[in-house]
Amino acid sequence: MEVKAVYFSPTRTSEKITMTIARKVAMKLKTSLKDINITKNHDIGRIPEFSKEDILILGLPVYSGRIPEIIEEYVHNLNADGTKAIVVAVYGNRDYDDALLEMRNILNENGFEVIAGGAFIGEHSFTDKVATGRPDEKDLEEARAFGDSIVMKLENIGDNQVDSIDIKGNYPYKERGVLPHVTPSTNDDCTECMDCAEECPTGAISMDNPREADPKKCILCCECIKICPEDAKFNDNEKIIGLAKMLEDNFSQRRDPEIFI
Ligand SMILES: Cc1cc2nc3c(=O)[nH]c(=O)nc-3n(C[C@H](O)[C@H](O)[C@H](O)COP(=O)(O)O)c2cc1C
């Protein structure tokens, strides 16, 4: 038996929440934890295998109320025969809409038994003024408490099959919004440390010149902006700036994690 934490997390908030839950579950079950970070490694040649005794904790950020399109094929290729799973969506304080439901449905269709789900909040990718610094200690405390509840449920279920859990969301799912085909810009403070290019989940930033990026590959995850030690990367596209302003004006009130178990 192994707890397998699989997550996609360009700006690391989904990673923090998923790993906090997973560490708690593995520790309480006194079993090993496998950290499967698919932020850069999401080609379907690397799909992990699951035994019936394993536990999958899948953590994804919410993009336009859905799971990120770039990770869709990978998630659809996760397969099991009765492995228990937990779904975790991390969103930027606006809404998670149908993302958590989408995750539950894909995993249930692929032979997992989804026994719990959680929607958590992370600092918004487009602005550091919405959900600033989240997940914070209170969020991590809730993530650990969620881990405790998961273990309690697993102990109660034993080897029995369970009914699928109810999760908030609608089907047909929300249509994905269309973002402009642009990349973040770079100012003169860039020192070519290459952190952005090395961490870019899609390889959109040139390894020869980190000021150059391919708009066909860029998914606007904002990893490069958040990771840059010199604050040299920024969004200067009008639509993205307008979106950030709309979020700051309308979605600054703190939202709390929601648990489905
Ligand atoms: C393209 C894109 C679309 C997003 N859409 C939403 C959304 O619909 N609702 C929301 O609350 N946050 C949205 N966010 C914000 C992220 O869900 C949030 O910042 C999350 O914490 C990022 O996860 P990560 O740190 O694991 O990359 C979006 C971010 C990006 C890059």
Side-chain angles (χ1 to χ4, degrees), residues 9 48 72 101 216 230 240 259:
S9 187
E72 218 183 346
L101 179 71
K216 286 198 213 79
E230 309 298 335
I240 306 293
I259 301 299

Side-chain angles (χ1 to χ4, degrees), residues 65-249:
R66 301 281 304 276
I67 68 169
E69 198 168 4
I70 188 148
I71 214 73
E72 218 183 346
E73 192 182 2
Y74 182 98
V75 177
H76 275 280
N77 275 280
L78 293 170
N79 272 291
D81 185 8
T83 303
K84 307 267 187 295
I86 294 97
V87 287
V88 178
V90 180
Y91 69 102
N93 207 58
R94 185 193 65 75
D95 208 319
Y96 56 95
D97 297 309
D98 306 330
L100 200 59
L101 179 71
E102 188 178 12
M103 291 167 79
R104 184 206 69 179
N105 289 350
I106 298 170
L107 291 187
N108 275 348
E109 276 160 24
N110 287 4
F112 291 88
E113 278 181 33
V114 179
I115 61 147
F120 287 81
I121 296 92
E123 180 172 300
H124 204 290
S125 319
F126 291 161
T127 166
D128 59 9
K129 294 194 183 77
V130 175
T132 310
R134 294 184 75 182
D136 56 17
E137 191 41 47
K138 187 165 184 275
D139 294 311
L140 297 180
E141 200 48 57
E142 296 205 35
R144 287 189 281 269
F146 183 37
D148 285 334
S149 318
I150 292 165
V151 172
M152 215 184 294
K153 182 161 184 181
L154 283 167
E155 285 170 351
N156 285 339
I157 300 168
D159 286 335
N160 300 327
Q161 248 194 314
V162 281
D163 292 337
S164 183
I165 46 151
D166 286 333
I167 278 187
K168 201 182 93 182
N170 294 303
Y171 185 84
Y173 308 127
K174 192 171 183 266
E175 290 274 326
R176 284 195 173 86
V178 181
L179 288 171
H181 293 288
V182 292
T183 68
S185 297
T186 314
N187 67 29
D188 292 343
D189 293 339
C190 174
T191 60
E192 299 192 5
C193 72
M194 304 309 283
D195 283 2
C196 60
E198 276 159 20
E199 296 298 321
C200 175
T202 62
I205 301 174
S206 163
M207 290 303 274
D208 298 324
N209 177 0
R211 292 171 192 83
E212 281 172 16
D214 182 348
K216 286 198 213 79
K217 287 188 185 165
C218 179
I219 56 167
L220 287 169
C221 70
C222 303
E223 167 275 333
C224 53
I225 297 176
K226 303 247 179 185
I227 204 176
C228 178
E230 309 298 335
D231 287 333
K233 291 270 184 193
F234 61 102
N235 278 315
D236 64 352
N237 174 271
E238 264 179 35
K239 188 165 176 191
I240 306 293
I241 293 172
L243 211 49
K245 171 94 177 51
M246 182 282 289
L247 292 163
E248 289 162 15
D249 290 346

